[in-house]
């Protein structure tokens, strides 16, 4: 192969690589473009039925998080938001008011909560399933698992508008069960996490996907 031919070949490979990279970037969903808006956060909810949901479904064999786990979840969420983003937040630990089923659906209910809080956008976290680790960080008989949704709602729209959803469903799996999990297992310090530690990974994912 002549030098000129090799040069054209290299340029062709480079062009194809750039095209593939651009295509992959287009396939990655963009984070919402959030200007300097006031953001509210409600304490995590555990929906009782489908009418409480904004998307998805509740697992049939779901396990509820304890009151202590819910309190810790809220504390860790606000700590993470304050330390990893450049925004200030209005936080309400527990949303009061009427049952969403007595209104025009869950979206309208949360939109009213957000308006009452005086915010533009509202983050609504919901725990769908919460399974604590049975064992220690060194070894488990049952690993932790969580199933969580985070919703970003624009409360300025009539009846509210769902801007984005971040879904996180994770059950920690050991290397003996899945060798493809090698990188993730060692990124977690080669230890078994608690449900709360898994939930924090979901919070970090949400922050990135919402563009906070």
């Amino acid at each position: 192969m002549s030098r000129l031919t090799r040069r054209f070949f290299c340029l062709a490979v480079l062009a194809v690589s750039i095209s593939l990279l651009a295509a992959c970037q287009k396939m990655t969903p963009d984070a919402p473009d959030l200007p300097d808006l006031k953001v509210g956060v409600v304490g995590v909810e555990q929906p009782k039925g489908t009418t409480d949901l904004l998307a998805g479904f509740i697992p049939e064999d779901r396990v509820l998080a304890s009151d202590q786990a819910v309190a810790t979840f809220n504390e860790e969420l606000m700590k993470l938001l304050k330390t990893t983003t450049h925004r200030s937040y209005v936080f309400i630990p527990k949303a009061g008011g009427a049952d969403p089923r007595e209104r025009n659906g869950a979206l309208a209910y949360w939109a009213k909560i957000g308006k009452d809080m005086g915010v533009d956008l509202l983050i609504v976290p919901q725990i769908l399933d919460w399974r604590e680790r049975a064992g220690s960080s060194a070894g488990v008989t049952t690993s932790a698992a969580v199933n969580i949704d985070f919703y970003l709602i624009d409360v300025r729209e009539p009846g509210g508008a769902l801007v984005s959803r971040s879904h996180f469903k994770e059950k920690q799996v050991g290397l003996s069960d899945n060798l493809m999990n090698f990188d993730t297992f060692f990124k977690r310090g080669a230890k078994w996490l608690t449900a709360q530690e898994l939930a924090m990974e979901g919070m970090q994912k949400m922050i990135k996907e919402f563009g906070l």
Side-chain angles (χ1 to χ4, degrees):
M1 183 183 293
S2 67
R3 182 180 299 176
L4 184 60
T5 303
R6 285 198 300 270
R7 183 179 179 185
F8 278 117
F9 177 78
C10 292
L11 288 174
V13 171
L14 179 60
V16 171
S17 299
I18 292 174
S19 298
L20 289 173
L21 179 60
C24 291
Q25 289 176 338
K26 288 179 181 179
M27 291 172 62
T28 303
D30 294 329
D33 183 19
L34 304 182
D36 189 20
L37 299 177
K38 199 171 184 179
V39 181
V41 186
V42 297
V44 65
E45 298 280 325
Q46 300 193 79
K48 299 178 179 65
T50 55
T51 53
D52 298 330
L53 297 174
L54 291 163
F57 62 93
I58 299 174
E60 292 183 2
D61 59 344
R62 63 105 50 104
V63 176
L64 294 175
S66 66
D67 291 343
Q68 181 58 53
V70 167
T72 302
F73 183 103
N74 290 334
E75 291 172 5
E76 294 296 337
L77 175 58
M78 287 310 301
K79 184 189 299 182
L80 200 61
L81 285 169
K82 290 177 180 178
T83 56
T84 62
T85 72
H86 301 287
R87 295 176 179 272
S88 58
Y89 299 88
V90 178
F91 179 67
I92 176 170
K94 187 172 179 61
D99 189 298
R101 287 167 291 189
E102 298 177 3
R103 298 176 178 270
N104 298 322
L107 184 58
Y109 170 76
W110 290 117
K112 183 180 184 307
I113 293 294
K115 288 178 181 178
D116 290 344
M117 292 169 66
V119 300
D120 302 305
L121 301 170
L122 184 66
I123 298 173
V124 179
Q126 292 188 335
I127 293 175
L128 305 178
D129 196 21
W130 185 278
R131 298 171 188 267
E132 297 288 357
R133 176 186 72 190
S136 67
S137 61
V140 296
T141 53
T142 304
S143 61
V146 297
N147 188 346
I148 307 168
D149 271 325
F150 297 89
Y151 300 99
L152 183 64
I153 300 171
D154 188 339
V155 306
R156 299 168 299 172
E157 297 290 332
L162 183 58
V163 177
S164 189
R165 174 195 181 200
S166 179
H167 182 65
F168 184 76
K169 182 180 180 181
E170 181 75 5
K171 176 179 174 63
Q172 191 172 10
V173 178
L175 295 179
S176 59
D177 296 316
N178 186 0
L179 287 175
M180 298 296 291
N181 199 43
F182 183 89
D183 287 345
T184 301
F185 190 81
F186 281 95
K187 281 180 182 177
R188 291 169 172 166
K191 65 179 183 178
W192 294 96
L193 303 186
T194 63
Q196 185 61 51
E197 288 169 330
L198 284 180
M200 289 183 67
E201 291 185 1
M203 296 174 194
Q204 292 167 340
K205 176 175 179 285
M206 174 272 295
I207 289 172
K208 181 179 180 180
E209 292 179 348
F210 286 1
L212 297 172

